[in-house]
Amino acid sequence: MAAHFGRLRKGATTTAVAAVAVAALSASQAPGVTTDDLGRQAAGAAQPSGDAKTGGAGGGATGDSPYYTDLPPLKSPNPSPSASPTTGTTVSVGEAEAGIPATVLDAYKKAEAELRASKPGCNLPWQLLAAIGKVESGQARGGRVDASGTTYSPILGPKLDGNGFALIADTDHGAYDGDPAYDRAVGPMQFIPSTWEWAGRDGNGDGKKDPNNVYDAALAAGHYLCRFDRDLSVQSQMNAAILNYNNSTEYLNTVLSWLEYYRKGTHEVPDGTGTLPSHSSNSDPGSSPSPTTPATPSTPSTPRTPSTPKPGGAGSTSPTPKPPAPSSPAPSPTPPTPTQTVDHLEDANTGKLTATAGSAFGTKVAVRAESKASKGVAKVRVRFTIIGDTDATFTGGESVATVVTGSAGTATAPALVAGEKTGDFTVRATVVGRVLGGLDYTATVTPRQADTLTRTSDTALTCVPGGEFADQVELKATYKGAVAGKVAATATLIKSADDATENDKGPYFKDADGKTIRTLTDLTTDADGVLKLPKLYADDATGTFLLRVNTTGGAVLTVELKVAAAAS
């Protein structure tokens, strides 16, 4: 892993202060980085707060704070698909640094989509959020987030108490950072409380604005970058936005390096398995920016009592033994996330998935995330995806829906709504952040139906030989008493009530070229269930003839047509 080192911030001129600077990521008016539950930190600081809505005094969004300086590999990621040896599921593989934790990646993409709708002129690429998230928090500490996107423990920067960092007295009474004396930067994108107060967003729709939630933080960072009507597709304006985040040329170059790298290809990795950076812009080449937890010394053994000199001896005593060197306790293993404990998905009594075109399915897809012991696992994100040649969607018009499992481990997809395309399609359920075999459900859309056809008029249909019928045949279709709109139908002039084959004489229709035809296909009732047939003509044959109309669903109506010479 390549890395570069920036200059130490002002004031960190002694070894002691430099060590403090290395101990945490920066605090800022927007992001800087922090302590995590793995003991990883990176140096950071913020400038004294100024006008929050214009970036603060002298330091842009981060107060020109330190950041992770690890650079992406020189080799382009270009991930390629391969099959999992255990499940056969297709997964993307590539450089480890190109992997972004599933929930974090989803948060960046959702933020881009929201900004595309609310501020289309900004042209925010999600890869820019990923690049900033990489240098600010190592993608939320490698994706250590729960199913809703909230970090398992708060990401907090150092106290901004003026001791090697900026002096920013408490502005939130500890509400965000837990510190009632001084402010600290908070969350995956490292906002200080005073900035979060106006810049915070609810990115996951839970009704809260939580700086420790990657969905909320990513959306807030996106809006922060898109301020001042910036168009980030213009390089100079993108540069200005990044520099407003941290006014450092080295920072700009580092973010742009990751932006270019992510644009060449990324792949999703399970939450909690992302690659963590290790170098900070405030690190000396020989120092570690990730301090470890101090070892707890073991209780030293009691030294032996000096021996009493023998009479007539030299009066010397045995040397007092030194206490044994402190021993370091074995590091506590990091507990697995709920997602990592999922072994498989089980069906949760999903019924038959069938609906008529244009209507909602009466059954919802439901699955249960289970551990190896077949126990339900709560707080796991399950993704439901509609696959196949269909225009069916979930409620809301989406073809993909993500649902968090409840206390019993069950996730139920939103209701399916059938489109106009009939036939089968697949709904696939997978665990977000895990490469596991999914569950596939077959859903069927049946054609619209009618069970009754009636004429809208009782006028007799008559014609003279060689003439045309004055009235057109008009019918109305219903299904179980309700209007049956958009129902397919056929109309055929048949030989007799007992012989439904096409007649070769008598009344007829004309096609677009004026040629005689006696069967019409691809007919459809309108939204009101009405079907009006084209004009009918008569040849020289006289008598009573039959027109039979059939619809999908079994509705049948036979209409009499009489051809007779005009009365003298």
Side-chain angles (χ1 to χ4, degrees), residues 364-365 383-387 391-403 412-418 425-429:
K364 297 180 180 180
V365 178
R383 180 179 295 147
F384 298 94
T385 307
I386 295 174
I387 301 170
D391 54 357
T393 65
F394 292 113
T395 302
E398 300 294 332
S399 61
V400 178
T402 302
V403 179
T412 302
L416 285 164
V417 178
F425 64 91
T426 299
V427 179
R428 178 168 296 163

Side-chain angles (χ1 to χ4, degrees), residues 8-22 163-164 282 284:
L8 293 173
R9 43 173 299 111
K10 295 178 181 179
T13 56
T14 68
T15 301
V17 174
V20 172
V22 168
N163 184 19
N282 239 19
D284 292 321

Side-chain angles (χ1 to χ4, degrees), residues 91-158:
V91 297
S92 295
V93 296
E95 291 286 337
E97 285 292 358
I100 299 178
T103 300
V104 179
L105 179 60
D106 187 52
Y108 294 149
K109 290 184 176 180
K110 281 192 184 316
E112 180 199 57
E114 196 281 340
L115 267 299
R116 191 187 305 124
S118 63
K119 294 184 178 181
C122 178
N123 295 304
L124 171 76
W126 66 262
Q127 293 91 340
L128 177 57
L129 295 176
I132 291 176
K134 181 69 174 181
V135 302
E136 292 294 351
S137 68
Q139 310 298 22
R141 300 175 302 196
R144 294 284 299 166
V145 296
D146 64 18
S148 67
T150 302
T151 56
Y152 283 110
S153 58
I155 301 179
L156 296 176

Side-chain angles (χ1 to χ4, degrees), residues 7 30 37 52 112-113 148 173 219 225 237 241 268 302 332 386 390 411 417 419 439 455 460 496 515 533 545:
R7 48 189 168 73
D37 58 358
E112 180 199 57
S148 67
H173 304 291
L219 184 58
L225 293 165
Q237 295 190 40
E268 182 181 288
T302 304
S332 300
I386 295 174
T390 181
V417 178
L439 290 182
R455 283 191 63 196
S496 69
K515 295 180 180 180
L533 299 182
F545 301 91

